[in-house]
Amino acid sequence: METIKTFNPDLAALHGYLCADGYVITHKIGAKKKYYKIGLRNTEKTLLDDFQSKFRKAFNLTPKITPDIDRAYKSSKMVYFLLTNTFGSFYCNDWKFPKSFNAKRLKSAWMRTVFDCEAWVE
């Protein structure tokens, strides 16, 4: 079971994006059609471009931004398993700040992307 061993601000930001407005999904067990998808749903092109750039730096793969500019996604079995083996589930009821992001620069990269996508102040 391969996991990610080295964390950097790009990976921390990707994790934040995926927790906030993203998805890391696969097919149901026993399904005929197999898929492994990682993506960000957002209508802000700046955030989609940033997600795309950080994904390329982290995994040397470039997510596609849809023509209607509401999502950036990539299908990759390798990245799916790296992310889920390292961080567990990305379903909203399982969101957790990774303890491995103990450096201040990793925490700030993660918080920036979460707040860019989801946060508000009351």
Side-chain angles (χ1 to χ4, degrees):
M1 185 178 345
E2 194 172 345
T3 61
I4 299 169
K5 307 268 190 263
T6 305
F7 302 108
N8 60 44
D10 290 329
L11 185 60
L14 280 174
H15 185 276
Y17 276 135
L18 293 170
C19 284
D21 274 345
Y23 53 92
V24 179
I25 58 173
T26 189
H27 55 276
K28 292 183 181 183
I29 296 173
K32 289 183 182 182
K33 186 174 180 180
K34 311 285 188 218
Y35 62 88
Y36 304 88
K37 295 183 181 180
I38 303 96
L40 175 67
R41 288 185 175 181
N42 200 295
T43 57
E44 182 58 50
K45 177 123 171 52
T46 304
L47 297 180
L48 296 174
D49 288 341
D50 189 50
F51 176 83
Q52 185 182 55
S53 172
K54 289 176 180 355
F55 198 98
R56 185 178 11 213
K57 288 177 191 173
F59 302 114
N60 201 29
L61 297 168
T62 303
K64 178 182 177 182
I65 297 176
T66 59
D68 48 354
I69 309 175
D70 70 344
R71 127 184 16 204
Y73 69 93
K74 184 69 183 169
S75 293
S76 172
K77 182 177 181 178
M78 183 259 320
V79 174
Y80 172 85
F81 281 110
L82 275 175
L83 291 172
T84 56
N85 289 341
T86 303
F87 301 115
S89 172
F90 282 86
Y91 289 105
C92 61
N93 59 332
D94 296 327
W95 288 354
K96 293 180 184 150
F97 181 81
K99 291 180 182 177
S100 52
F101 292 172
N102 55 4
K104 186 176 182 178
R105 66 191 178 94
L106 299 180
K107 290 177 183 176
S108 64
W110 188 88
M111 289 198 53
R112 182 191 65 80
T113 56
V114 170
F115 274 75
D116 279 349
C117 292
E118 289 292 330
W120 64 90
V121 177
E122 285 189 10

